[in-house]
Amino acid sequence: MRGSQAAAARTLVIRPLALLAVAATLVLTGCTSGVPTPSASSATAVAKDGATASPSVAPVLHPDGSAEDNLPLFAGVVAQVWAGSSRASGSAYIDALAAAGFARTDMQVTADESTVGNPAESIQFSVRWGKDRCLVGQVGPSTGDPVTAVLPQVEGGRCLIGKTVAVAP
């Protein structure tokens, strides 16, 4: 009986640990920051068990949607610029966001350089969305990976506090 009791006790400990490991994996998988894009060589993905998964769809602009609806596209554009050679240029983010369909007239960006001419530790940029929301991004050496969020507008319909540079039309 002692052997079977020990085996039962191990099972009671191992099963919850295995379930915890699976749950943690699922949670962490949902936290990845990459933007899914369809593969040029395959329209569908095949899982390890042979089942066919639906193709990934790239985020798109939802002009009549909410700021939250448009955050995936905003974040994807930011990630693409961050991965390129123009990552330290605020205008590169503005140009890429405009190319994705966001209105330049609703954008703000901070300077690429400090007041003494050094590269900025971080660059912030935003797109005003609707009457009270903003899509806001921040990148730079002090930030690490790009950060994007939907935030409320500040007084005067602005998204960023402090000095910004002009966004060319």
Side-chain angles (χ1 to χ4, degrees):
M1 285 284 210
R2 285 187 183 172
S4 64
Q5 287 176 339
R10 279 193 303 273
T11 300
L12 288 175
V13 170
I14 292 172
R15 282 186 183 159
L17 290 176
L19 290 174
L20 182 60
V22 169
T25 300
L26 291 174
V27 168
L28 292 175
T29 300
C31 293
T32 60
S33 62
V35 177
T37 56
S39 168
S41 63
S42 172
T44 58
V46 178
K48 288 182 182 179
D49 64 1
T52 303
S54 61
S56 298
V57 177
V60 296
L61 184 68
H62 300 282
D64 296 326
S66 68
E68 289 79 5
D69 294 337
N70 288 289
L71 184 59
L73 176 60
F74 182 85
V77 169
V78 170
Q80 285 180 330
V81 176
W82 179 250
S85 61
S86 298
R87 68 177 10 192
S89 170
S91 63
Y93 294 93
I94 297 301
D95 291 344
L97 289 166
F102 292 99
R104 283 182 181 274
T105 56
D106 292 325
M107 295 185 196
Q108 289 181 277
V109 64
T110 60
D112 299 347
E113 295 183 347
S114 71
T115 56
V116 295
N118 293 327
E121 287 295 315
S122 71
I123 302 168
Q124 293 83 36
F125 40 87
S126 65
V127 178
R128 183 178 56 235
W129 198 267
K131 295 180 182 180
D132 63 349
R133 308 299 280 171
C134 296
L135 295 157
V136 178
Q138 181 173 351
V139 296
S142 68
T143 306
D145 289 332
V147 176
T148 58
V150 174
L151 299 172
Q153 290 180 14
V154 294
E155 190 174 321
R158 295 174 51 92
C159 294
L160 302 178
I161 297 173
K163 187 176 180 180
T164 59
V165 295
V167 172

